[in-house]
Amino acid sequence: MAAVSDPVELGAPWGPVRSEPPPTRFHPVHGANIRVDPSGTRATRVESFAHGVCFSREPLAPGQVFLVEIEEKELGWCGHLRLGLTALDPASLTIVPEFSLPDLVSLGHTWVFAITRHHNRVPREGRPEAEAAAPSRPPALLMEPYLCIEQYRIPRDRLVGRSRPGLYSHLLDQLYELNVLPPTARRSRLGVLFCPRPDGTADMHIVINGEDMGPSARGLPATQPLYAVVDVFASTKSVRLVQLEYGSFFSQCHPCRLCAAW
């Protein structure tokens, strides 16, 4: 599933060229314990461990990554960030559920998972269960400048977490780049996106520090607006949005030899 880009000139698309998606922001509708900053790019849970559900302000475009960086952690709680997509319009919710799992999911048309490197990778129908195993990538592939997820090519640089400048920051940055730190470590970057399929459905992918974890849900309604869901839950206290620069246009990539190998 996840792999590097095709070795072609930057910007060579496979399929129609589309405009770059707009900047991501948090929706003004959110959990009772969430405070969103005036820019709409940082969400902080101010008390307790729950009521931290947030949404994207706008539906995502196909292939657009809703990317957050974990800014603050809070000791004493069990559990971490949860991430996914919903076809529910946040503005239609009279009350935002206390938890994304199971409360929001139980409303239907919602796909949310707790973040872990070995989570919920689903095989295609008729394919062996081994396909559902968490992907293993040689370190060299994680250093490639682009990440290909199905038909989309995404610049990898901003997908990867960064340490704060300091004496050992160069060593920590290497750990983020190799994706060997816990996926919910402070300053890890976590993203969600969907990729439409020819049958009118879509696959949902979760990206951890520049690595595609594979499809975590299939059969999403690609023809309906899909909003990102971020549950700032338990030990995750604050997240900020990271904006991606897709280039002069939002491109689709031709599956390369290395993509096919995975």
Side-chain angles (χ1 to χ4, degrees):
M1 291 296 172
V4 299
S5 63
D6 193 37
V8 296
E9 183 180 355
L10 175 62
W14 177 52
V17 172
R18 298 178 297 134
S19 60
E20 184 162 328
T24 54
R25 297 290 186 270
F26 285 113
H27 202 286
V29 173
H30 48 68
N33 288 335
I34 286 292
R35 300 294 180 268
V36 175
D37 76 345
S39 71
T41 62
R42 180 170 178 168
T44 303
R45 194 186 68 254
V46 295
E47 60 179 289
S48 183
F49 64 94
H51 289 288
V53 176
C54 304
F55 305 94
S56 60
R57 188 170 68 186
E58 304 291 342
L60 299 186
Q64 180 184 13
V65 183
F66 194 80
L67 183 67
V68 299
E69 179 178 286
I70 297 178
E71 286 253 296
E72 294 183 47
K73 305 275 289 185
E74 187 171 54
L75 299 177
W77 303 114
C78 181
H80 303 278
L81 185 87
R82 295 162 174 184
L83 192 61
L85 296 170
T86 183
L88 302 174
D89 184 347
S92 70
L93 299 174
T94 54
I95 298 176
V96 177
E98 181 177 8
F99 303 103
S100 59
L101 289 171
D103 301 3
L104 183 64
V105 171
S106 70
L107 297 180
H109 307 290
T110 302
W111 304 263
V112 174
F113 299 98
I115 293 298
T116 165
R117 192 170 285 114
H118 303 287
H119 75 304
N120 308 303
R121 188 166 188 256
V122 293
R124 297 197 184 280
E125 186 175 349
R127 299 288 291 272
E129 290 298 318
E131 185 181 290
S136 176
R137 304 287 184 263
L141 294 189
L142 297 179
M143 306 297 284
E144 292 291 333
Y146 292 94
L147 174 67
C148 271
I149 302 178
E150 300 195 16
Q151 68 268 46
Y152 295 102
R153 182 177 66 176
I154 305 162
R156 190 188 297 272
D157 180 60
R158 293 195 180 184
L159 296 173
V160 180
R162 294 286 186 272
S163 64
R164 295 192 184 280
L167 181 61
Y168 299 107
S169 61
H170 64 292
L171 299 176
L172 287 172
D173 285 347
Q174 289 180 10
L175 297 179
Y176 285 116
E177 289 169 358
L178 295 175
N179 202 14
V180 296
L181 293 175
T184 54
R186 190 167 177 267
R187 301 187 72 80
S188 279
R189 293 184 178 181
L190 313 164
V192 64
L193 70 154
F194 72 93
C195 302
R197 301 192 58 77
D199 63 0
T201 67
D203 294 347
M204 182 179 84
H205 287 250
I206 289 175
V207 178
I208 300 176
N209 285 319
E211 183 177 2
D212 174 26
M213 295 293 104
S216 51
R218 299 190 192 277
L220 280 68
T223 57
Q224 296 183 28
L226 292 171
Y227 295 82
V229 179
V230 179
D231 192 350
V232 187
F233 175 68
S235 65
T236 303
K237 183 175 177 63
S238 181
V239 298
R240 73 175 182 91
L241 288 171
V242 178
Q243 307 302 328
L244 296 180
E245 295 180 356
Y246 295 89
S248 59
F249 51 75
F250 192 30
S251 63
Q252 297 177 312
C253 76
H254 179 75
C256 63
R257 293 186 296 274
L258 287 173
C259 286
W262 296 114

